[in-house]
């Protein structure tokens, strides 16, 4: 596992890397990589933290588990690398984006442009065995990413937290004032029609950012 963390995050959650649970987690992931294909690649596990420094976080979108198909995951929640077809949840995100903001549906599924604007796209679990969703759940990643959520929630500047689905909603107790929490159904095909479509997350986020004096996110993706 590529360590240390990016400097701004090392200062906030670097102590987690020295705790016994993280040593066990690192041994587990290394062992998994020695006998199976694990996504994302080792040097992309912390891409979300690398692209969005702590001081620049103004929105946090929480995912659950990395995509488990070949070549999909690259360290950003809901995002896939360029050249990979958008999975169903991401395709639904783009549908809502088109309906709400009139953004053209892009020809790729990379959300790097969002991350570079201060949108932290963090999964609760940061690795997965290929073809086996949730295979790295309960191994320690949740403890680490909860620490990241708490660190962002400790900021004095307001952040917009986006909790899609029941799993993400369970993280709400980690978040308090002065932050804004947007909740809705998950964009997966199983639940998108039961409360994700029509929830207007993107305009809601931008409204809250403007309210606290932050520039809005340009959600439209080129390409």
């Amino acid at each position: 596992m590529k360590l240390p963390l990016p400097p701004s995050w090392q200062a906030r959650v670097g102590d987690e890397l020295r705790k016994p649970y993280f040593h066990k987690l690192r041994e587990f992931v290394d062992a998994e990589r020695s006998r199976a294909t694990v996504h994302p690649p080792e040097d992309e596990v912390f891409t979300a933290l690398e692209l969005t420094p702590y001081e620049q976080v103004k929105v946090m979108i929480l995912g659950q588990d990395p995509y488990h198909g070949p070549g999909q995951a690259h360290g950003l929640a809901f995002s896939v690398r360029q050249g990979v077809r958008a999975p169903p949840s991401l395709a639904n995100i783009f549908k809502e984006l088109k309906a709400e903001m009139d953004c053209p549906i892009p020809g790729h599924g990379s959300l790097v442009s969002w991350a570079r604007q201060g949108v932290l796209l963090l999964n609760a679990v940061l690795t997965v065995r290929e073809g086996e969703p949730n295979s790295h759940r309960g191994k320690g990643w949740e403890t680490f990413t909860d620490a990241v959520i708490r660190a962002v929630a400790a900021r004095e500047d307001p952040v917009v937290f986006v909790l899609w689905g029941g799993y993400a909603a369970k993280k709400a107790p980690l978040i308090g004032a002065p932050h804004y929490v947007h909740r809705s159904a998950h964009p997966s095909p199983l639940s998108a029609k039961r409360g994700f479509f029509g929830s207007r997350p993107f305009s809601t986020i931008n409204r809250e950012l403007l309210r606290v004096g932050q520039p809005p996110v340009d959600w439209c993706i080129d390409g």
Side-chain angles (χ1 to χ4, degrees), residues 180-207:
Y180 180 85
V181 178
H182 174 80
R183 309 188 206 195
S184 77
H186 195 275
S188 75
L190 295 175
S191 57
K193 293 181 179 179
R194 299 200 301 267
F196 176 74
F197 289 140
S199 62
R200 303 185 63 80
F202 307 105
S203 59
T204 300
I205 292 167
N206 281 354
R207 181 196 71 216

Side-chain angles (χ1 to χ4, degrees), residues 38-190:
V38 171
H39 300 299
E42 189 171 13
D43 62 350
E44 294 181 331
V45 170
F46 296 115
T47 296
L49 304 183
E50 291 169 358
L51 291 180
T52 313
Y54 177 82
E55 297 84 0
Q56 295 178 20
V57 177
K58 57 186 183 183
V59 180
M60 183 172 183
I61 299 178
L62 185 67
Q64 184 171 350
D65 199 43
Y67 294 123
H68 56 85
Q72 290 180 316
H74 66 132
L76 296 177
F78 296 104
S79 178
V80 293
R81 65 183 75 250
Q82 292 209 23
V84 177
R85 182 180 178 182
S89 290
L90 181 56
N92 284 339
I93 289 171
F94 288 155
K95 288 178 183 176
E96 176 68 13
L97 185 60
K98 174 71 168 70
E100 182 185 356
M101 308 292 284
D102 201 28
C103 290
I105 293 178
H108 63 84
S110 173
L111 305 181
V112 166
S113 66
W114 294 2
R116 287 181 172 153
Q117 294 180 75
V119 181
L120 181 61
L121 296 161
L122 186 74
N123 278 315
V125 176
L126 299 186
T127 56
V128 67
R129 185 187 282 219
E130 184 172 291
E132 299 182 32
N134 293 316
S135 50
H136 289 186
R137 187 176 181 179
K139 302 298 183 180
W141 277 127
E142 296 92 338
T143 303
F144 173 76
T145 54
D146 279 359
V148 173
I149 295 169
R150 288 190 183 96
V152 175
R155 286 184 44 151
E156 293 183 4
D157 294 333
V159 172
V160 181
F161 287 83
V162 180
L163 308 180
W164 285 331
Y167 182 88
K170 293 178 182 177
K171 304 297 182 179
L174 303 178
I175 307 161
H179 309 296
Y180 180 85
V181 178
H182 174 80
R183 309 188 206 195
S184 77
H186 195 275
S188 75
L190 295 175

